[in-house]
Amino acid sequence: MKKIVCIIFIFLVCGCVQRYYNVATRSEEIYFYSTEKEVKIGKAFAERIEKKFQLEDDLLLQQKIKRIGGKLAGVCDRKEIKYSFKLLKDDTVNAFALPGGYVYMFKGLWDKLGNDDALIAAVLSHEIGHICARHSIKRLQTSVGYGILSILVNTAGRMNRLERRKATIGINELLLAYSRADEFEADRLSVKYLGKAGYEQTAVIDVLKILRKEQRENPIKPLAAATHPYISQRIKNVKQHIDTVQIEFNDYINTVP
Ligand SMILES: [Zn+2]
């Protein structure tokens, strides 16, 4: 009974359920949230992130992340949203995406990438992959996510202390809890978007190796470890995927009369 009431409530609040073929995941999916609502949710989270972390003040670096991100956004599977790419002044070695097109990289990770365009692109395209596959929003469609979401959507900007605490837990849920399958899927999509934007696809492997090294050297940093697990398996999968794409491409060339 409780479940039915909950479902009816979701219908009432969200208006409608959309059935949609997602090019990124190559499957038909059901969304409780329109793109418009997703962007609104992402914006609410983004405002909180930018209160919690300072933006990097080197404008040249901000321009660079925006330029590379914009190039990738132009070739990705979701072009109906406006993407934003920002560098956060913090030594954490990580990057993350919020629903609705908000992508952030910490300066700590940026520095490990040695200002290299292809490596930066590899990180950003992975995060764009999460957005195109709608990983966060799908998680938020679960009952746990729903409680957090209703607070954010309905009270963004005027939260009391308890609500703020719940929203913070929500942010952590979003940032830390991609499944293994989600990570593999974002990696696969990053290979695709890098290729389309003219970057070296093997940059994904190089970035994963950097993250693996970082994880070995600093195993107690929980954020990076939780969001980038199973790195060796991911490297293996990406290598296999790049090889498969290569074979498909060669086959296509061979079959052209
Ligand atoms: Zn990821």
Side-chain angles (χ1 to χ4, degrees):
M1 183 65 192
K2 208 173 161 193
K3 203 172 173 186
I4 295 167
V5 171
C6 185
I7 291 168
I8 292 169
F9 187 52
I10 289 174
F11 272 78
L12 286 176
V13 173
C14 305
C16 60
V17 172
Q18 299 178 336
R19 202 176 275 273
Y20 180 85
Y21 181 79
N22 188 336
V23 185
T25 59
R26 295 178 288 199
S27 58
E28 195 172 64
E29 296 173 345
I30 290 171
Y31 307 131
F32 298 152
Y33 305 102
S34 63
T35 296
E36 194 191 356
K37 201 155 253 178
E38 183 189 337
V39 171
K40 200 173 160 190
I41 294 158
K43 193 165 178 271
F45 276 117
E47 279 165 8
R48 297 198 58 75
I49 290 292
E50 290 181 31
K51 267 192 195 126
K52 191 170 158 65
F53 298 99
Q54 253 186 299
L55 290 178
E56 166 62 39
D57 10 65
D58 188 333
L59 293 181
L60 284 176
L61 298 187
Q62 293 291 3
Q63 275 169 17
K64 183 165 178 166
I65 193 171
K66 211 174 157 185
R67 175 177 58 78
I68 298 174
K71 222 167 144 182
L72 294 159
V75 298
C76 78
D77 292 311
R78 275 189 89 185
K79 299 197 188 72
E80 80 280 14
I81 49 176
K82 198 173 171 291
Y83 289 83
S84 121
F85 302 91
K86 290 181 183 171
L87 195 56
L88 298 172
K89 199 178 182 175
D90 187 279
D91 64 358
T92 306
V93 181
N94 209 351
F96 61 92
L98 301 176
Y102 298 86
V103 178
Y104 293 93
M105 195 192 299
F106 291 106
K107 183 71 168 24
L109 176 56
W110 181 278
D111 289 340
K112 298 270 172 201
L113 305 178
N115 217 22
D116 182 279
D117 284 30
L119 297 182
I120 295 164
V123 172
L124 299 180
S125 60
H126 174 93
E127 300 308 330
I128 293 173
H130 281 306
I131 294 170
C132 291
R134 291 173 164 83
H135 289 152
S136 300
I137 210 77
K138 281 180 204 158
R139 280 193 56 74
L140 287 170
Q141 285 182 177
T142 63
S143 57
V144 179
Y146 182 71
I148 299 156
L149 253 192
S150 59
I151 293 166
L152 267 174
V153 172
N154 299 321
T155 64
R158 48 186 168 84
M159 296 180 189
N160 64 33
R161 199 194 295 171
L162 179 68
E163 287 166 341
R164 269 203 298 274
R165 218 176 82 78
K166 283 187 181 172
T168 307
I169 295 167
I171 290 173
N172 292 339
E173 270 283 307
L174 260 181
L175 300 187
L176 298 175
Y178 289 127
S179 70
R180 181 188 287 241
D182 287 351
E183 291 304 337
F184 291 154
E185 189 161 57
D187 285 340
R188 179 180 65 75
L189 290 168
S190 72
V191 168
K192 179 177 169 185
Y193 303 151
L194 281 177
K196 279 183 149 189
Y199 291 106
E200 197 59 61
Q201 291 172 312
T202 48
V204 178
I205 298 167
D206 298 334
V207 166
L208 287 170
K209 283 182 179 167
I210 291 170
L211 291 173
R212 185 170 60 184
K213 188 167 171 271
E214 175 64 18
Q215 211 175 74
R216 282 175 183 161
E217 285 167 7
N218 297 297
I220 42 163
K221 280 197 175 170
L223 190 66
T227 47
H228 295 105
Y230 0 102
I231 291 183
S232 295
Q233 185 59 43
R234 284 174 63 190
I235 292 173
K236 212 173 134 197
N237 283 15
V238 171
K239 276 183 181 162
Q240 265 174 8
H241 179 64
I242 291 176
D243 287 347
T244 314
V245 173
Q246 196 64 40
I247 291 164
E248 280 171 7
F249 183 66
N250 288 340
D251 284 352
Y252 173 73
I253 299 280
N254 289 342
T255 55
V256 174

